[in-house]
Amino acid sequence: MSSDNRTPRLHSFRIACAIASATLCATAIAQVAFSLKPAIEVLDNPVIADSPAYPALAISTLVPAVIGIATTILSAVLVWTIKSGDPFKKGSATCLKVLGILFVVQAATSLYAGSLKTVSMFGGEGAVGAQEIASSFDWTSLVLGIVLFMLSQLFLYARELYLDSDEIA
């Protein structure tokens, strides 16, 4: 592909990546807003505060808020990196990889938090059934994390191709 054809395609790609990253940033901000409310309810509940599972439950409800804040920051960095020039920088791939890992951690945390919430609802005495755990698992975060990790590898490969095409021309 000649240099003349590559410039408009890169411009379109930058715009598409910026829109996708901005959308991810907006959803991360919404995630922080929605995850802080249950965390505050758990921390302020005197019945749950007396439970032996309180520290683990507090941590598991705060993790989504922390992940949301990290996702917001990384999404903003990704938008800035992609819009600043070459979208196939190592920084873009690293941001995508870290975002993917964060979403996988969020999915794992949702499983743990769901089981803790079920146990705390029964006062720590009830058995946690498979149905309660399965319904609390965040499959969307798991799939998004895997897709973002794969996309980071694609960005690294595209970087190699981009650099090779510059050397040939």
Side-chain angles (χ1 to χ4, degrees):
M1 182 170 24
S2 71
S3 174
D4 296 331
N5 290 338
R6 189 170 57 185
T7 303
R9 289 184 184 165
L10 274 176
H11 181 69
S12 299
F13 181 72
R14 275 191 211 109
I15 291 171
C17 286
I19 290 170
S21 297
T23 304
L24 184 61
C25 188
T27 57
I29 291 170
Q31 175 188 353
V32 170
F34 289 123
S35 61
L36 279 178
K37 184 178 182 246
I40 291 170
E41 288 175 0
V42 167
L43 295 174
D44 286 343
N45 189 335
V47 174
I48 295 175
D50 294 334
S51 168
Y54 177 75
L57 188 59
I59 290 170
S60 69
T61 54
L62 287 174
V63 166
V66 171
I67 288 175
I69 291 168
T71 303
T72 304
I73 293 168
L74 284 172
S75 299
V77 168
L78 188 60
V79 168
W80 179 77
T81 304
I82 289 173
K83 287 185 77 176
S84 68
D86 179 17
F88 302 117
K89 292 181 181 176
K90 273 191 174 181
S92 300
T94 304
C95 279
L96 287 169
K97 188 184 298 183
V98 172
L99 281 169
I101 291 168
L102 283 174
F103 278 107
V104 169
V105 167
Q106 180 175 336
T109 305
S110 72
L111 179 66
Y112 179 66
S115 64
L116 279 175
K117 287 176 186 171
T118 305
V119 170
S120 68
M121 282 185 356
F122 295 113
E125 310 250 341
V128 178
Q131 184 176 7
E132 288 90 358
I133 292 175
S135 65
S136 68
F137 188 71
D138 189 3
W139 287 101
T140 306
S141 291
L142 179 66
V143 170
L144 183 60
I146 292 169
V147 167
L148 285 171
F149 187 78
M150 290 174 18
L151 190 60
S152 75
Q153 298 305 308
L154 185 65
F155 264 58
L156 288 175
Y157 181 65
R159 176 175 173 73
E160 290 177 22
L161 292 177
Y162 186 74
L163 292 175
D164 284 346
S165 71
D166 280 347
E167 289 175 5
I168 292 172

